[in-house]
Amino acid sequence: MKKLIVTGLAATLLAALTACGGSDSASSTLRVGTLSDAPPNIFLKDGTYTGFDNELLKDIAAKQNLKLEFAATDFSGLLGQVASGRYDIASSAIAQTEERKKTVDFSAAYDFETMSIQAKQGTPVTDEKGLAGKRVAVIQATVGDHWLTSTVPTAQAVRFPDYAAALTALKTGAVDAYILDQSIAEKNVTDNPDAKLVVVKSFVSDVPHGFAVKKGNAELLGKINEGLKKSIADGTWLKLHQQFLPTVPVPEEFRPGQ
C-alpha cells in the first residue's frame, strides 16, 4: 500500500512539473518574437519566418544547439513582451538605444541602422528639411520615430503599428513621406512599381542592431553572442547579408577574419 501511495505521489509530482514547463522538451524551445511584414530583414514567406535577421538567428541557434519557435507581433509591443517573458528573444532589426536598454538586454551588434526618407515620385521633399509641416509615417517606437521627432519637430509624425499599414498610407497619399530602414525602403520600390515610390535620401547611423532578451538572462545572451562570432567567422553573416541586403554597406567588423 505504501509503495502504491509513493508511486502515485511521484507520478502526480512529475505531471505537475511537466505542466509547469519543468520537462526538458518544454524548456528547450525558445520563443522568438518577430515581424511578418518587414522584408528583407524580417518577414513571413510561404509560412516560414525568414529575412536577414531571422536567418542569422537560425544559424546562430544551429551552431549553439538551440531550438527556435517564431511568432509575429507588433513592433511597438515587442520589447515589452520580451521583458514580460512572453518571448525569449526579439528579432526585428532592433536598434540598441539607451532607452530600450532599460527594458531588455541586447546581444552584441550584428548590423547598424541605415535609415531612409521615402516618398512618391514628384514629391517636393528632397531631404529632412522638406519634411517640415508634412505628414510623415513612422513605425511607432522605432529609431525612425525618434529621429523624426528630434530632427524635424515641426513635422507631423503619423505613427503606425506595422510596416504594411505605413506603406499603404504612403501609397494612398494619406502621408507625404515615410521614415524607415533603407533596405525595406528599397524593397518597397521594387515590389510596388505602380506606386511610383522613391528613396529621397538615406543616411547611416552608428546605432547597432541586436537581438533582445529578458534582462538578466546572461546564459542565453552568451550563447547568442558566441553563435554570432561563429557566423561571422565562417562567412555565414556575409553570405546572408549579400542575399538579403546587397545594397547596404558591410562594416569591416562583420567580414570573416576581422
Side-chain angles (χ1 to χ4, degrees), residues 3 9 15-16 18 24 29 54 58 61 67 73-74 84-85 87 112 122-123 133 136 147 150 162 173 186 200 206 242:
K3 278 187 176 181
L9 288 173
T18 302
D24 289 339
T29 300
N54 287 337
K58 290 176 188 177
K67 295 181 181 179
T73 186
D74 289 339
S84 70
Y87 297 117
F112 289 89
T123 178
V136 183
W147 177 87
S150 60
D162 57 63
E186 291 175 344
V200 172
D206 59 357
Q242 291 171 335

Side-chain angles (χ1 to χ4, degrees), residues 15-87:
L17 287 172
T18 302
C20 293
S23 68
D24 289 339
S25 60
S27 61
S28 62
T29 300
L30 298 171
R31 296 157 298 177
V32 181
T34 187
L35 276 64
S36 62
D37 63 349
N41 288 81
I42 48 263
F43 61 101
L44 186 65
K45 182 178 181 180
D46 299 328
T48 299
Y49 289 96
T50 186
F52 173 71
D53 300 62
N54 287 337
E55 293 301 332
L56 177 60
L57 184 58
K58 290 176 188 177
D59 184 68
I60 290 171
K63 287 176 165 63
Q64 297 301 104
N65 296 315
L66 302 173
K67 295 181 181 179
L68 305 178
E69 179 180 273
F70 290 83
T73 186
D74 289 339
F75 186 86
S76 59
L78 180 55
L79 296 187
Q81 291 166 339
V82 170
S84 70
R86 179 176 180 180
Y87 297 117

Side-chain angles (χ1 to χ4, degrees), residues 58-257:
K58 290 176 188 177
D59 184 68
I60 290 171
K63 287 176 165 63
Q64 297 301 104
N65 296 315
L66 302 173
K67 295 181 181 179
L68 305 178
E69 179 180 273
F70 290 83
T73 186
D74 289 339
F75 186 86
S76 59
L78 180 55
L79 296 187
Q81 291 166 339
V82 170
S84 70
R86 179 176 180 180
Y87 297 117
D88 299 294
I89 306 172
S91 171
S92 188
I94 307 169
Q96 299 188 41
T97 64
E98 292 305 314
E99 188 64 27
R100 288 173 180 169
K101 289 177 182 179
K102 297 176 184 178
T103 303
V104 296
D105 286 339
F106 283 102
S107 68
Y110 66 82
D111 209 351
F112 289 89
E113 191 85 1
T114 306
M115 304 298 298
S116 288
I117 301 172
Q118 185 155 61
K120 299 186 71 173
Q121 290 180 15
T123 178
V125 177
T126 57
D127 55 22
E128 56 268 33
K129 294 179 181 177
L131 298 174
K134 298 290 194 299
R135 287 172 53 83
V136 183
V138 293
I139 306 303
Q140 185 177 347
T142 61
V143 169
D145 187 350
H146 175 73
W147 177 87
L148 180 66
T149 54
S150 60
T151 306
V152 194
T154 56
Q156 182 181 347
V158 183
R159 296 178 172 87
F160 293 89
D162 57 63
Y163 288 85
L167 177 59
T168 297
L170 179 63
K171 290 164 65 174
T172 59
V175 296
D176 303 295
Y178 180 12
I179 309 300
L180 70 166
D181 292 354
Q182 176 190 343
S183 56
I184 301 174
E186 291 175 344
K187 197 166 192 310
N188 285 345
V189 173
T190 303
D191 291 351
N192 301 272
D194 294 338
K196 302 187 185 316
L197 302 176
V198 293
V199 176
V200 172
K201 180 180 179 179
S202 294
F203 44 96
V204 179
S205 77
D206 59 357
V207 180
H209 286 177
F211 297 111
V213 304
K214 189 174 183 177
K215 271 195 164 300
N217 195 343
E219 181 180 359
L220 178 56
L221 207 58
K223 289 180 179 179
I224 293 174
N225 287 340
E226 185 60 31
L228 175 59
K229 288 180 183 178
K230 294 176 182 178
S231 292
I232 295 171
D234 70 7
T236 302
W237 187 99
L238 185 60
K239 179 181 177 181
L240 292 172
H241 196 272
Q242 291 171 335
Q243 176 184 348
F244 290 101
L245 307 166
T247 65
V248 179
V250 176
E252 285 302 314
E253 58 261 48
F254 297 122
R255 295 184 182 276

